[in-house]
Amino acid sequence: PDDRAADDRAPDEPAAEAVVAALVRDGVRVRGFAIRRTSLEQRFVELTGEGFDVVG
């Protein structure tokens, strides 16, 4: 779960409630909504192909 405050998002990132409201306004039935963030290690592995625990 994402425990960040709403004002802790990137400047160009819309508020979650605004996204859901726009979907509902356009006729989309929303059954659930979750924000997923990539961990620092996951991002590092994506960029380098190796995790933090590499020895050598």
Side-chain angles (χ1 to χ4, degrees):
D2 190 13
D3 296 328
R4 297 178 320 144
D7 60 358
D8 191 26
R9 63 187 183 275
D12 61 342
E13 182 180 354
E17 58 272 16
V19 172
V20 174
L23 289 169
V24 171
R25 185 175 49 250
D26 289 343
V28 176
R29 294 173 61 188
V30 178
R31 295 178 66 182
F33 188 87
I35 299 172
R36 296 185 185 162
R37 300 278 179 210
T38 304
S39 72
L40 178 59
E41 183 169 11
Q42 288 169 326
R43 181 63 84 193
F44 185 83
V45 170
E46 288 173 8
L47 295 171
T48 67
E50 298 179 339
F52 291 137
D53 58 353
V54 174
V55 178

